[in-house]
Amino acid sequence: LAGELRDMAKRLLGREPDPSTRVLVAGLGNAAMTPDAIGPGTLRRMTVTRHLKAHDESLFAALGCCELAGLAPGVLGQTGMESGELVKCAAGLVEPHLVVAVDALAARSVDRLSSTVQITDQGLSPGSGIGNRRMAMNAHTLGCPVMGLGVPTVVDSSTLVLDFLEKAGLPEGTLSPDLTRALESGRSFIVAPKDSDEVVELTCRLLARALDEAFGVGTL
């Protein structure tokens, strides 16, 4: 995963990440809700290095890593401010060459729950997977390349039912209009696996370690 992150960063930056590269990691989501805690949990386990350059330049040079900073902006209901607004302010301060937005995702298939890591060069639109679209974080809004990094932790109830119907030999296109309407009316129900706490803990460790190895102290 660290190798994939570096490859994507190289494509976005047009060069290999090095100690002159400033990377801002935005850990999106609500730390108080387990399935949505991927972003803050990853940031908590990651090792930031930006401050070392200012306080001990020789130590930073010895590490040979990127200048890595992080921010967990919380959610609108906690701060009264859009996550994108806070990340934009932080980007104005750090002036990163690359922003990595880490977030929990909604799966389109039950089989992808907690088993897929999505990396995108188009940034992220927080909340869009559950119909709660917030300010997008991309190159246009933040003024620099934005990499999206996420893992699906929830699925809506309709997708859950459709998956089981398809496995039973009843694909979506063959369902009656009444059943289709009934399924669509349940799209506001979001379902998470019963072992979400363990899954999120392991996922946060995975993503934090990968980010450290791609840009931070893990490159040693």
Side-chain angles (χ1 to χ4, degrees):
L1 179 56
E4 293 290 340
L5 293 175
R6 285 189 69 87
D7 286 345
M8 178 68 82
K10 181 179 179 180
R11 189 159 73 84
L12 288 170
L13 297 170
R15 61 180 176 85
E16 194 75 35
D18 59 33
S20 69
T21 305
R22 294 186 296 275
V23 179
L24 172 63
V25 177
L28 309 177
N30 187 344
M33 294 182 63
T34 300
D36 194 34
I38 294 290
T42 297
L43 194 64
R44 191 166 64 249
R45 292 161 180 80
M46 193 183 74
T47 305
V48 294
T49 58
R50 178 176 179 266
H51 60 300
L52 296 177
K53 189 171 185 179
H55 292 285
D56 193 336
E57 196 163 347
S58 61
L59 174 59
F60 179 80
L63 291 174
C65 60
C66 297
E67 199 175 320
L68 189 60
L71 173 71
V75 292
L76 183 65
Q78 295 171 328
T79 65
M81 294 175 282
E82 291 278 3
S83 299
E85 294 174 336
L86 294 172
V87 174
K88 187 173 183 178
C89 289
L93 174 66
V94 175
E95 296 182 339
H97 299 106
L98 174 68
V99 171
V100 182
V102 184
D103 201 2
L105 307 175
R108 180 60 186 88
S109 166
V110 176
D111 294 334
R112 293 184 182 176
L113 272 174
S114 311
S115 63
T116 303
V117 178
Q118 177 176 299
I119 306 173
T120 171
D121 61 359
Q122 296 299 308
L124 284 175
S125 294
S128 59
I130 59 171
N132 184 32
R133 188 180 296 273
R134 312 310 310 171
M135 174 180 168
M137 297 183 204
N138 52 41
H140 175 71
T141 58
L142 298 185
C144 68
V146 180
M147 183 193 307
L149 173 63
V151 173
T153 59
V154 297
V155 64
D156 72 55
S157 56
S158 298
T159 297
L160 191 67
V161 174
L162 286 170
D163 264 14
F164 285 125
L165 288 175
E166 187 170 350
K167 289 176 181 177
L170 296 169
E172 186 172 358
T174 64
L175 303 180
S176 69
D178 288 341
L179 182 54
T180 300
R181 282 194 295 271
L183 288 172
E184 288 176 348
S185 69
R187 289 192 185 277
S188 61
F189 292 92
I190 303 301
V191 182
K194 64 179 180 180
D195 56 350
S196 286
D197 52 349
E198 183 178 1
V199 167
V200 168
E201 170 67 23
L202 293 173
T203 299
C204 291
R205 290 185 191 179
L206 168 69
L207 299 185
R209 179 66 183 273
L211 287 164
D212 276 348
E213 290 197 9
F215 307 114
V217 295
T219 56
L220 292 175

